[in-house]
Amino acid sequence: MFAPDLGGTPMRSPPPPASPRLTVRERQVAGLVAEGLSDRAIAARLWISPRTAESHVAAILTKLDARSRVRIATWVASTTPPRIAVADRGRLVRRRAARRWPARLRAARVGSVRAAPLAV
């Protein structure tokens, strides 16, 4: 299709907006913002200072050209693939582990809720 007002040059649609280039840490922070955590809670979770977490959130907002943390959450939701059958996979792993461990060792396994008392 030709645009008569542009001197007969073909009309092209504008290129799709490029996905913002977030660093690995900014993606982690964006995921935690999407979970609804505050800057202080993000800092505690990632073992960074609250001011660093605040700087990461500000950088994300700038890169997304957004004004609120809600926009970060919607961006994360739109770019993150859905997690399918996580609970089912966990149950399957537990069943396999139960078959692998003999009954007498299953109760004494490290990290088990029913850990056997240590012999003194």
Side-chain angles (χ1 to χ4, degrees), residues 44-68:
R45 180 88 59 98
L46 297 178
W47 292 78
I48 58 177
S49 74
R51 177 68 179 109
T52 304
E54 183 181 327
S55 296
H56 284 309
V57 172
I60 295 166
L61 289 170
T62 302
K63 289 181 180 182
L64 292 179
D65 193 28
R67 294 184 182 176
S68 70

Side-chain angles (χ1 to χ4, degrees), residues 45-106:
R45 180 88 59 98
L46 297 178
W47 292 78
I48 58 177
S49 74
R51 177 68 179 109
T52 304
E54 183 181 327
S55 296
H56 284 309
V57 172
I60 295 166
L61 289 170
T62 302
K63 289 181 180 182
L64 292 179
D65 193 28
R67 294 184 182 176
S68 70
R69 297 165 78 97
V70 174
R71 175 65 179 97
I72 295 174
T74 53
W75 179 81
V76 168
S78 68
T79 58
T80 307
R83 295 181 181 175
I84 300 173
V86 172
D88 292 338
R89 195 173 348 136
R91 272 189 253 124
L92 187 61
V93 168
R94 279 194 296 274
R95 269 190 252 131
R96 284 184 193 148
R99 277 184 289 176
R100 255 186 275 138
W101 288 82
R104 68 184 196 292
L105 296 177
R106 206 174 306 138

Side-chain angles (χ1 to χ4, degrees), residues 23-34:
T23 64
V24 173
R25 180 62 87 174
E26 287 172 345
R27 287 186 185 275
Q28 290 173 341
V29 171
L32 295 174
V33 168

